[in-house]
Amino acid sequence: MPFYDDDGNELNPKDIKMPKLCSNCKKNGKPEEYILCTLQRLGWKEEEEFICHAFEELNLN
């Protein structure tokens, strides 16, 4: 599934570094969350700090 910016340019999610926050999230890697998570990362790609309001901490216990 292709993703596009506001100008119609195709974006490749593989070109965007995975934020550390995502690796500690319950939703990371779940197919049903792929689109939402990818759009979130694409939206923050130019920012210094990544913030995700859908983040749910992974329980490692």
Side-chain angles (χ1 to χ4, degrees):
M1 165 185 247
F3 294 90
Y4 299 90
D5 66 12
D6 293 338
D7 297 323
N9 301 308
E10 188 170 347
L11 302 171
N12 186 348
K14 293 179 182 180
D15 293 340
I16 297 174
K17 183 180 173 184
M18 177 77 70
K20 286 185 179 184
L21 186 67
C22 296
S23 63
N24 293 324
C25 183
K26 288 181 182 180
K27 298 176 182 182
N28 185 30
K30 292 190 176 183
E32 64 272 17
E33 299 292 341
Y34 174 75
I35 293 173
L36 177 64
C37 292
T38 301
L39 289 173
Q40 185 71 8
R41 286 194 306 275
L42 288 170
W44 285 87
K45 68 182 177 137
E46 302 293 328
E47 304 295 327
E48 288 186 31
E49 181 182 4
F50 177 76
I51 298 172
C52 180
H53 298 288
F55 173 77
E56 291 183 30
E57 189 171 3
L58 185 62
N59 186 355
L60 298 175
N61 293 333

